[in-house]
Amino acid sequence: MKQSQPRYIMVGGFLGAGKTTAILKLAEHLKRQGRAVGLITNDQGTGLVDTAMARASDFPVEEISGGCFCCRFNSLVDATRKLTATTRPDVLIAEPVGSCTDLMATVTLPMKQLYGENYRIAPLSVLVDPIRAMRVLGLGGGRQFAPKVTYIYRKQLEEANLLVVNKCELLDATQTAKLVAALKQNFPKADVFAVSARTGDGLAAWFDRILTGELSATDIMDVDYITYGVGEAMLGWLNATARLSGSPVDGNELLLRIGCALRDRLAKADAEIAHLKMTLTATGDGLDIAVANLVRTDAVPELSFRLAEPFTEGELTVNLRAQAEPALLERIVREVAGECGAALGSLASFKPGQPNPTHRVDAGGVEHRPVLP
Ligand SMILES: Nc1nc2c(ncn2[C@@H]2O[C@H](COP(=O)(O)OP(=O)(O)OP(=O)(O)O)[C@@H](O)[C@H]2O)c(=O)[nH]1
Ligand SMILES: [Mg+2]
């Protein structure tokens, strides 16, 4: 029997934490139980890898591009309505932009207050990549973002109801215990879960909480919107598409080679990668897709989806978010595209604008407008 109120689940977390991967796992889990799911993706730009991945997984998806949920709250509401009308979902799962914070005050609580009759609002989950989280919390060495970007990262953790350490199979038991303890100590309000969206470990307990738990009244945190705006604008965004054609090649290898070429140039320019994600789709077969990702400049690109057939002709999509000027990202992408014989189609590079949320309310419904520059 259909639930009259679909559950609205939001899975936040910094760029590259594994939100899309975890959301697709949750969607598959629900599908196996015979429950209908609708997905909502979000980005500052258009031409999204996440939407392509959701579509390739064959779930109904609505995309909100050109701004984040908090600044385009009414578009989010329209997307939930549209999915509700077309697919009668039992569960709606929304992925906010990974450089956004203050989601509790600007999305979760407004959703509950304005549309609580229509949707059951789940507790807010925030995923973390463990290597990045250890660096931010001082538990591990390696390249860091600038302090104002790290401000956003820490604010994301501070507002979580459920803090989810993802990719746990990358850590040994001692490292996981240390990270979980540090998160509990620094962010005592949150319940901490340790999972691997890739292997499935630990997902059941977290899924159970978001599927059955209620959002209890919660305080909103202080956010310095000036620091938040400056931090977000330190991240350059680039979305591009390109056509590739030639004799049949291993498209998976080709995608990894492009990833390495981009990474090497970004490393030389001292640009810390937040998330480089790319898809390669063969012409005429949107369901056969390769996806490559890289979530730090000092890591290696890896494939999260593989093309099943040799690649002859098709489209490359590049979504690059890094701490760098957009012009630098553009120059590097143009150089690498030229070297691989990729004919660039659309290309947009920019910095996110100053966040200015549609609503910002506490659990009692009182408006708290942020102080903007
Ligand atoms: N090792 C490992 N990698 C994972 C796991 N979950 C996700 N990843 C990888 O992490 C990278 C980023 O995953 P995404 O799901 O695209 O991350 P995201 O948070 O949606 O990223 P943005 O949309 O850019 O903010 C990809 O390479 C995934 O395959 C995991 O449990 N273990
Ligand atoms: Mg994503």
Coordinates of all heavy atoms in Angstrom, one line a residue, residues 145-232:
F145 N 42.4 22.1 2.1 CA 41.8 23.3 1.5 C 42.2 24.5 2.3 O 42.6 24.4 3.5 CB 40.3 23.2 1.5 CG 39.8 22.2 0.5 CD1 39.1 21.1 1.0 CD2 40.0 22.3 -0.9 CE1 38.6 20.1 0.1 CE2 39.5 21.4 -1.7 CZ 38.8 20.2 -1.3
A146 N 41.9 25.7 1.8 CA 42.1 27.0 2.5 C 41.2 27.0 3.7 O 40.1 26.4 3.7 CB 41.9 28.2 1.6
P147 N 41.5 27.8 4.8 CA 40.7 27.8 6.0 C 39.2 28.2 5.7 O 38.3 27.6 6.4 CB 41.4 28.9 6.8 CG 42.8 28.9 6.4 CD 42.8 28.5 4.9
K148 N 39.0 29.1 4.7 CA 37.5 29.5 4.5 C 36.7 28.3 3.8 O 35.5 28.3 4.0 CB 37.5 30.8 3.7 CG 37.9 31.9 4.6 CD 37.6 33.3 3.9 CE 37.8 34.4 5.0 NZ 38.9 35.3 4.7
V149 N 37.4 27.5 3.1 CA 36.7 26.3 2.5 C 36.5 25.3 3.6 O 35.4 24.7 3.8 CB 37.6 25.7 1.4 CG1 36.9 24.5 0.8 CG2 37.8 26.8 0.3
T150 N 37.5 25.2 4.5 CA 37.4 24.2 5.6 C 36.3 24.7 6.6 O 35.7 23.9 7.2 CB 38.8 24.1 6.4 OG1 39.7 23.8 5.4 CG2 38.8 23.1 7.4
Y151 N 36.1 26.0 6.7 CA 35.0 26.5 7.5 C 33.7 25.9 7.0 O 32.9 25.4 7.8 CB 34.9 28.1 7.3 CG 33.7 28.7 8.0 CD1 33.8 29.0 9.4 CD2 32.6 29.0 7.3 CE1 32.7 29.6 10.0 CE2 31.5 29.6 7.9 CZ 31.5 29.9 9.2 OH 30.4 30.5 9.9
I152 N 33.4 25.9 5.7 CA 32.2 25.3 5.2 C 32.1 23.8 5.5 O 31.1 23.3 6.0 CB 32.1 25.5 3.6 CG1 32.1 27.0 3.3 CG2 30.9 24.8 3.1 CD1 32.3 27.3 1.8
Y153 N 33.3 23.1 5.3 CA 33.3 21.7 5.6 C 32.9 21.4 7.1 O 32.1 20.6 7.3 CB 34.8 21.2 5.4 CG 34.9 19.7 5.4 CD1 35.0 19.0 4.2 CD2 34.9 19.0 6.6 CE1 35.2 17.7 4.1 CE2 35.1 17.6 6.6 CZ 35.2 17.0 5.3 OH 35.3 15.6 5.3
R154 N 33.5 22.2 8.0 CA 33.2 21.9 9.4 C 31.7 22.3 9.7 O 31.1 21.7 10.6 CB 34.1 22.7 10.3 CG 35.6 22.2 10.2 CD 36.4 22.9 11.3 NE 36.1 22.4 12.6 CZ 36.8 21.5 13.3 NH1 38.0 21.1 12.8 NH2 36.5 21.1 14.5
K155 N 31.2 23.4 9.1 CA 29.8 23.7 9.3 C 28.9 22.6 8.8 O 27.8 22.4 9.4 CB 29.5 25.1 8.6 CG 30.0 26.3 9.3 CD 29.2 26.6 10.6 CE 29.9 27.4 11.6 NZ 29.2 27.6 12.8
Q156 N 29.2 22.0 7.8 CA 28.4 20.8 7.3 C 28.3 19.8 8.4 O 27.2 19.2 8.6 CB 29.0 20.2 6.0 CG 28.9 21.1 4.8 CD 29.5 20.4 3.6 OE1 30.3 19.5 3.7 NE2 29.1 20.9 2.4
L157 N 29.4 19.5 9.0 CA 29.4 18.4 10.0 C 28.6 18.9 11.3 O 27.9 18.1 11.9 CB 30.9 18.1 10.4 CG 31.9 17.7 9.3 CD1 33.0 17.0 9.9 CD2 31.2 16.9 8.2
E158 N 28.8 20.2 11.6 CA 28.1 20.7 12.8 C 26.6 20.6 12.7 O 25.9 20.4 13.7 CB 28.5 22.2 12.9 CG 28.1 22.8 14.2 CD 28.4 24.3 14.3 OE1 29.5 24.7 13.7 OE2 27.7 25.1 14.9
E159 N 26.0 20.7 11.5 CA 24.6 20.7 11.5 C 23.9 19.3 11.2 O 22.7 19.2 11.2 CB 24.1 21.7 10.4 CG 24.4 21.2 9.0 CD 23.7 22.2 8.0 OE1 22.6 22.7 8.3 OE2 24.2 22.3 6.9
A160 N 24.8 18.3 11.1 CA 24.2 17.0 10.8 C 23.5 16.4 12.0 O 23.9 16.5 13.1 CB 25.4 16.0 10.5
N161 N 22.3 15.7 11.7 CA 21.7 14.9 12.7 C 22.4 13.5 12.6 O 22.7 12.9 13.7 CB 20.2 14.6 12.3 CG 19.4 15.9 12.3 OD1 18.7 16.1 11.4 ND2 19.4 16.6 13.4
L162 N 22.7 13.1 11.4 CA 23.4 11.8 11.3 C 24.7 12.0 10.5 O 24.7 12.5 9.4 CB 22.6 10.8 10.5 CG 21.1 10.7 10.9 CD1 20.3 9.7 10.0 CD2 21.0 10.2 12.4
L163 N 25.9 11.8 11.2 CA 27.1 11.9 10.5 C 27.6 10.6 10.0 O 27.7 9.6 10.8 CB 28.2 12.4 11.5 CG 28.6 13.9 11.5 CD1 29.5 14.2 12.6 CD2 29.1 14.2 10.1
V164 N 27.8 10.5 8.7 CA 28.1 9.2 8.1 C 29.5 9.1 7.5 O 29.8 9.8 6.6 CB 27.0 8.8 7.0 CG1 27.2 7.4 6.5 CG2 25.6 9.1 7.6
V165 N 30.4 8.4 8.2 CA 31.7 8.2 7.7 C 31.6 7.2 6.6 O 31.3 6.0 6.8 CB 32.7 7.7 8.7 CG1 34.1 7.5 8.2 CG2 32.7 8.6 9.9
N166 N 31.8 7.6 5.3 CA 31.7 6.7 4.2 C 33.1 6.1 3.8 O 34.1 6.5 4.4 CB 31.1 7.4 3.0 CG 30.8 6.6 1.8 OD1 30.5 5.3 2.0 ND2 30.8 7.1 0.6
K167 N 33.2 5.2 2.9 CA 34.4 4.6 2.4 C 35.2 4.0 3.5 O 36.5 4.0 3.5 CB 35.2 5.7 1.7 CG 34.4 6.6 0.7 CD 35.3 7.5 -0.1 CE 34.5 8.5 -0.8 NZ 35.2 9.5 -1.7
C168 N 34.5 3.4 4.5 CA 35.2 2.8 5.6 C 36.2 1.7 5.3 O 37.1 1.4 6.0 CB 34.3 2.4 6.7 SG 33.9 3.8 7.8
E169 N 35.9 1.0 4.1 CA 36.8 -0.1 3.8 C 38.2 0.4 3.4 O 39.2 -0.4 3.3 CB 36.2 -0.9 2.6 CG 36.6 -0.5 1.2 CD 35.9 0.8 0.7 OE1 35.0 1.3 1.5 OE2 36.3 1.3 -0.3
L170 N 38.4 1.8 3.3 CA 39.7 2.3 3.1 C 40.5 2.4 4.4 O 41.7 2.7 4.3 CB 39.6 3.7 2.4 CG 38.9 3.8 1.1 CD1 38.9 5.3 0.6 CD2 39.7 3.0 0.0
L171 N 39.9 2.3 5.5 CA 40.6 2.4 6.8 C 40.6 1.1 7.5 O 39.8 0.2 7.3 CB 39.8 3.4 7.7 CG 39.4 4.8 7.2 CD1 38.7 5.6 8.3 CD2 40.6 5.5 6.8
D172 N 41.6 1.0 8.4 CA 41.6 -0.2 9.3 C 40.7 0.1 10.5 O 40.3 1.3 10.7 CB 43.0 -0.7 9.7 CG 43.8 0.3 10.5 OD1 43.1 1.1 11.2 OD2 45.0 0.4 10.4
A173 N 40.5 -0.9 11.3 CA 39.5 -0.7 12.4 C 40.0 0.4 13.4 O 39.1 1.1 13.9 CB 39.3 -2.1 13.1
T174 N 41.3 0.5 13.6 CA 41.8 1.5 14.6 C 41.5 2.9 14.0 O 41.1 3.8 14.8 CB 43.3 1.3 14.8 OG1 43.5 -0.1 15.0 CG2 43.8 2.1 16.0
Q175 N 41.8 3.1 12.7 CA 41.6 4.4 12.1 C 40.1 4.8 12.2 O 39.8 5.9 12.5 CB 42.1 4.4 10.7 CG 43.6 4.3 10.5 CD 44.0 4.1 9.1 OE1 43.5 3.3 8.4 NE2 44.9 4.9 8.6
T176 N 39.3 3.8 11.8 CA 37.8 4.1 11.9 C 37.4 4.5 13.3 O 36.7 5.5 13.4 CB 37.0 2.9 11.4 OG1 37.5 2.4 10.2 CG2 35.5 3.1 11.3
A177 N 37.9 3.7 14.3 CA 37.5 4.0 15.7 C 37.9 5.4 16.1 O 37.2 6.2 16.7 CB 38.0 3.0 16.6
K178 N 39.2 5.8 15.6 CA 39.7 7.1 16.0 C 38.9 8.2 15.3 O 38.6 9.2 16.0 CB 41.2 7.2 15.4 CG 42.2 7.3 16.5 CD 43.5 7.4 15.8 CE 44.6 8.1 16.5 NZ 45.9 8.0 15.9
L179 N 38.6 8.0 14.1 CA 37.8 9.1 13.3 C 36.4 9.2 13.9 O 35.9 10.3 14.2 CB 37.8 8.7 11.8 CG 37.0 9.7 11.0 CD1 37.4 11.1 11.1 CD2 37.1 9.3 9.5
V180 N 35.8 8.1 14.2 CA 34.4 8.1 14.8 C 34.5 8.8 16.1 O 33.6 9.7 16.4 CB 33.8 6.7 14.9 CG1 32.6 6.7 15.8 CG2 33.5 6.1 13.5
A181 N 35.5 8.5 16.9 CA 35.6 9.2 18.3 C 35.8 10.7 18.1 O 35.2 11.5 18.9 CB 36.7 8.5 19.0
A182 N 36.6 11.1 17.2 CA 36.9 12.5 17.0 C 35.7 13.2 16.5 O 35.4 14.3 16.9 CB 38.0 12.7 16.0
L183 N 34.9 12.6 15.6 CA 33.7 13.2 15.2 C 32.7 13.3 16.3 O 32.0 14.4 16.5 CB 33.0 12.4 14.0 CG 33.8 12.5 12.7 CD1 33.3 11.4 11.7 CD2 33.7 13.8 12.1
K184 N 32.6 12.3 17.1 CA 31.6 12.4 18.3 C 32.0 13.5 19.2 O 31.2 14.2 19.8 CB 31.6 11.0 19.0 CG 30.8 10.0 18.3 CD 30.7 8.7 19.1 CE 29.7 7.7 18.4 NZ 30.0 6.3 18.8
Q185 N 33.3 13.6 19.4 CA 33.8 14.6 20.4 C 33.6 16.0 19.8 O 33.2 16.9 20.5 CB 35.3 14.4 20.6 CG 35.8 15.1 21.8 CD 37.3 15.1 21.9 OE1 38.0 14.5 21.1 NE2 37.8 15.8 22.8
N186 N 33.9 16.2 18.5 CA 33.8 17.6 17.9 C 32.3 17.9 17.6 O 32.0 19.1 17.6 CB 34.6 17.6 16.6 CG 36.0 17.8 16.9 OD1 36.5 19.0 17.0 ND2 36.8 16.7 17.0
F187 N 31.5 16.9 17.3 CA 30.1 17.2 16.9 C 29.1 16.4 17.7 O 28.5 15.4 17.2 CB 30.0 17.0 15.4 CG 31.0 17.7 14.6 CD1 32.1 17.1 14.1 CD2 30.9 19.1 14.4 CE1 33.1 17.7 13.4 CE2 31.9 19.8 13.7 CZ 33.0 19.1 13.2
P188 N 29.0 16.6 19.0 CA 28.3 15.7 19.9 C 26.8 15.6 19.6 O 26.2 14.6 20.1 CB 28.6 16.4 21.3 CG 29.0 17.8 21.0 CD 29.6 17.8 19.7
K189 N 26.3 16.5 18.9 CA 24.8 16.5 18.6 C 24.4 15.4 17.6 O 23.3 14.9 17.6 CB 24.5 17.8 17.9 CG 23.1 18.4 18.2 CD 23.0 19.7 17.5 CE 23.0 19.5 16.0 NZ 22.9 20.5 15.0
A190 N 25.4 14.9 16.8 CA 25.1 14.0 15.8 C 25.3 12.5 16.2 O 26.1 12.2 17.1 CB 26.0 14.2 14.6
D191 N 24.5 11.6 15.6 CA 24.8 10.2 15.7 C 25.7 9.8 14.6 O 25.5 10.2 13.5 CB 23.5 9.4 15.6 CG 22.6 9.6 16.8 OD1 23.2 9.8 17.9 OD2 21.4 9.5 16.7
V192 N 26.8 9.1 14.9 CA 27.8 8.8 13.9 C 27.6 7.3 13.4 O 27.5 6.4 14.2 CB 29.2 9.0 14.5 CG1 30.3 8.8 13.4 CG2 29.3 10.4 15.0
F193 N 27.7 7.2 12.1 CA 27.6 5.9 11.5 C 28.9 5.7 10.7 O 29.5 6.6 10.2 CB 26.5 5.8 10.5 CG 25.1 5.9 11.2 CD1 24.6 7.1 11.6 CD2 24.4 4.7 11.4 CE1 23.4 7.2 12.3 CE2 23.1 4.8 12.1 CZ 22.6 6.0 12.5
A194 N 29.4 4.4 10.6 CA 30.5 4.1 9.7 C 30.0 3.1 8.7 O 29.5 2.1 9.0 CB 31.6 3.5 10.6
V195 N 30.2 3.5 7.4 CA 29.6 2.7 6.3 C 30.6 2.7 5.1 O 31.6 3.4 5.1 CB 28.3 3.3 5.8 CG1 27.3 3.6 6.9 CG2 28.5 4.5 4.9
S196 N 30.3 1.8 4.2 CA 31.0 1.8 2.9 C 29.9 1.7 1.9 O 29.2 0.6 1.8 CB 32.0 0.7 2.8 OG 32.3 0.6 1.4
A197 N 29.6 2.7 1.2 CA 28.6 2.7 0.1 C 29.0 1.7 -1.0 O 28.2 1.1 -1.6 CB 28.4 4.1 -0.5
R198 N 30.3 1.5 -1.1 CA 30.9 0.6 -2.1 C 30.6 -0.8 -1.8 O 30.1 -1.6 -2.6 CB 32.3 0.9 -2.4 CG 32.9 0.1 -3.5 CD 34.3 0.6 -3.9 NE 34.2 1.8 -4.7 CZ 35.2 2.5 -5.1 NH1 36.4 2.1 -4.8 NH2 35.1 3.6 -5.7
T199 N 31.0 -1.2 -0.5 CA 30.9 -2.6 -0.2 C 29.5 -2.9 0.5 O 29.1 -4.1 0.6 CB 31.9 -3.1 0.8 OG1 31.7 -2.4 2.1 CG2 33.3 -2.8 0.4
G200 N 28.8 -1.9 0.9 CA 27.5 -2.1 1.6 C 27.6 -2.2 3.1 O 26.6 -2.2 3.8
D201 N 28.8 -2.3 3.6 CA 29.0 -2.5 5.0 C 28.4 -1.3 5.8 O 28.6 -0.1 5.5 CB 30.5 -2.5 5.4 CG 31.0 -3.9 5.2 OD1 30.2 -4.8 4.9 OD2 32.3 -4.1 5.3
G202 N 27.6 -1.6 6.8 CA 27.1 -0.6 7.7 C 25.9 0.2 7.2 O 25.3 1.0 7.9
L203 N 25.5 0.0 5.9 CA 24.5 0.8 5.3 C 23.1 0.5 6.0 O 22.3 1.4 6.2 CB 24.3 0.5 3.8 CG 25.5 1.1 3.0 CD1 25.2 0.7 1.5 CD2 25.5 2.6 3.1
A204 N 22.9 -0.8 6.4 CA 21.6 -1.1 6.9 C 21.1 -0.3 8.1 O 20.0 0.2 8.1 CB 21.5 -2.6 7.3
A205 N 22.1 -0.1 9.0 CA 21.7 0.7 10.2 C 21.4 2.2 9.9 O 20.4 2.8 10.4 CB 22.9 0.7 11.2
W206 N 22.2 2.7 9.0 CA 22.0 4.1 8.6 C 20.6 4.2 7.8 O 19.8 5.1 8.0 CB 23.1 4.6 7.7 CG 22.9 6.0 7.1 CD1 22.4 7.1 7.7 CD2 23.2 6.3 5.7 NE1 22.3 8.1 6.8 CE2 22.8 7.7 5.6 CE3 23.7 5.6 4.6 CZ2 22.9 8.4 4.4 CZ3 23.8 6.3 3.4 CH2 23.4 7.7 3.3
F207 N 20.4 3.3 6.8 CA 19.2 3.3 6.0 C 18.0 3.2 7.0 O 17.0 3.9 6.8 CB 19.1 2.2 5.1 CG 20.0 2.3 3.9 CD1 20.2 1.3 2.9 CD2 20.8 3.5 3.6 CE1 21.0 1.4 1.8 CE2 21.6 3.6 2.5 CZ 21.7 2.5 1.6
D208 N 18.1 2.4 8.0 CA 17.0 2.2 8.9 C 16.6 3.5 9.6 O 15.5 3.9 9.7 CB 17.4 1.1 9.9 CG 16.2 0.8 10.8 OD1 15.1 0.5 10.3 OD2 16.3 0.9 12.1
R209 N 17.7 4.3 10.0 CA 17.4 5.6 10.7 C 16.8 6.6 9.7 O 15.9 7.3 10.1 CB 18.7 6.1 11.2 CG 19.1 5.7 12.6 CD 18.1 6.1 13.7 NE 18.1 7.5 13.9 CZ 19.0 8.1 14.7 NH1 19.9 7.4 15.3 NH2 19.0 9.4 14.9
I210 N 17.3 6.7 8.5 CA 16.7 7.7 7.6 C 15.3 7.3 7.1 O 14.5 8.1 6.8 CB 17.6 8.1 6.4 CG1 18.3 7.0 5.8 CG2 18.5 9.3 6.8 CD1 19.2 7.4 4.6
L211 N 15.1 6.0 7.1 CA 13.8 5.6 6.6 C 12.7 5.5 7.7 O 11.5 5.6 7.4 CB 13.9 4.2 5.9 CG 14.7 4.2 4.6 CD1 15.0 2.8 4.1 CD2 13.9 5.0 3.5
T212 N 13.1 5.4 8.9 CA 12.1 5.3 10.0 C 12.2 6.5 11.0 O 11.2 6.7 11.7 CB 12.2 4.0 10.7 OG1 13.5 3.9 11.3 CG2 12.0 2.8 9.8
G213 N 13.4 7.1 11.1 CA 13.6 8.1 12.1 C 12.8 9.4 11.8 O 12.6 9.7 10.6
E214 N 12.5 10.2 12.8 CA 11.8 11.4 12.6 C 12.8 12.6 12.9 O 13.7 12.4 13.7 CB 10.6 11.6 13.6 CG 9.5 10.6 13.4 CD 8.9 10.7 12.0 OE1 8.8 11.8 11.5 OE2 8.5 9.7 11.4
L215 N 12.6 13.7 12.2 CA 13.4 14.9 12.5 C 12.9 15.5 13.7 O 11.7 15.9 13.8 CB 13.2 15.9 11.3 CG 13.9 17.2 11.5 CD1 15.4 17.0 11.3 CD2 13.4 18.2 10.5
S216 N 13.7 15.5 14.8 CA 13.3 16.1 16.0 C 13.6 17.6 15.9 O 14.5 18.0 15.2 CB 13.9 15.4 17.2 OG 15.2 15.3 17.0
A217 N 12.9 18.4 16.8 CA 13.2 19.8 16.7 C 14.7 20.0 16.9 O 15.3 19.4 17.7 CB 12.4 20.5 17.9
T218 N 15.2 20.9 16.2 CA 16.7 21.1 16.3 C 17.0 22.6 16.2 O 16.3 23.3 15.5 CB 17.4 20.3 15.2 OG1 18.6 20.8 14.9 CG2 16.6 20.3 13.9
D219 N 18.1 23.0 16.9 CA 18.5 24.4 16.9 C 19.2 24.6 15.5 O 19.7 23.7 14.9 CB 19.6 24.6 17.9 CG 19.1 24.4 19.3 OD1 17.8 24.6 19.5 OD2 19.8 24.0 20.2
I220 N 19.2 25.9 15.1 CA 20.0 26.2 13.9 C 21.3 26.7 14.4 O 21.4 27.3 15.4 CB 19.2 27.1 12.9 CG1 18.9 28.4 13.5 CG2 18.0 26.4 12.4 CD1 18.5 29.5 12.5
M221 N 22.3 26.5 13.5 CA 23.7 27.0 14.0 C 23.9 28.4 13.5 O 23.3 28.9 12.6 CB 24.7 26.0 13.4 CG 24.8 25.9 11.9 SD 26.0 24.7 11.3 CE 25.7 24.9 9.6
D222 N 24.9 29.0 14.1 CA 25.4 30.3 13.6 C 26.2 30.1 12.3 O 27.1 29.2 12.3 CB 26.3 31.0 14.6 CG 25.5 31.4 15.8 OD1 24.3 31.7 15.7 OD2 26.1 31.4 16.9
V223 N 26.0 30.9 11.3 CA 26.8 30.8 10.1 C 27.2 32.2 9.7 O 26.3 33.1 9.6 CB 26.0 30.1 9.0 CG1 26.9 30.1 7.7 CG2 25.6 28.7 9.3
D224 N 28.5 32.4 9.5 CA 29.0 33.6 9.0 C 28.9 33.6 7.5 O 29.7 32.9 6.8 CB 30.4 33.8 9.5 CG 31.1 35.1 8.9 OD1 30.5 35.7 8.0 OD2 32.2 35.4 9.4
Y225 N 27.8 34.2 6.9 CA 27.6 34.1 5.5 C 28.7 34.8 4.7 O 28.8 34.5 3.5 CB 26.2 34.6 5.1 CG 25.2 33.5 5.1 CD1 24.8 32.8 6.3 CD2 24.7 33.0 3.9 CE1 23.9 31.8 6.3 CE2 23.8 31.9 3.9 CZ 23.4 31.3 5.1 OH 22.5 30.3 5.0
I226 N 29.4 35.7 5.3 CA 30.5 36.4 4.5 C 31.6 35.4 4.3 O 32.1 35.1 3.2 CB 30.9 37.7 5.2 CG1 29.7 38.6 5.2 CG2 32.1 38.3 4.5 CD1 29.8 39.8 6.0
T227 N 32.0 34.7 5.4 CA 33.1 33.7 5.3 C 32.6 32.5 4.3 O 33.3 32.0 3.5 CB 33.4 33.1 6.6 OG1 33.8 34.2 7.5 CG2 34.6 32.1 6.6
Y228 N 31.3 32.1 4.5 CA 30.7 31.1 3.7 C 30.8 31.4 2.2 O 31.3 30.7 1.4 CB 29.3 30.9 4.2 CG 28.4 29.9 3.5 CD1 28.9 29.0 2.5 CD2 27.0 29.9 3.7 CE1 28.0 28.1 1.9 CE2 26.2 29.0 3.1 CZ 26.7 28.1 2.2 OH 25.8 27.2 1.5
G229 N 30.4 32.7 1.9 CA 30.4 33.1 0.5 C 31.8 33.2 -0.1 O 32.1 32.8 -1.2
V230 N 32.8 33.7 0.7 CA 34.2 33.8 0.3 C 34.7 32.4 0.1 O 35.4 32.1 -0.9 CB 35.1 34.6 1.2 CG1 36.5 34.5 0.8 CG2 34.6 36.0 1.3
G231 N 34.4 31.5 1.0 CA 34.9 30.1 0.9 C 34.4 29.4 -0.3 O 35.1 28.7 -1.1
E232 N 33.1 29.6 -0.6 CA 32.5 28.9 -1.8 C 33.1 29.5 -3.0 O 33.4 28.7 -4.0 CB 31.0 29.1 -1.8 CG 30.3 27.8 -1.6 CD 28.8 27.8 -2.1 OE1 28.1 28.8 -1.8 OE2 28.4 26.8 -2.7

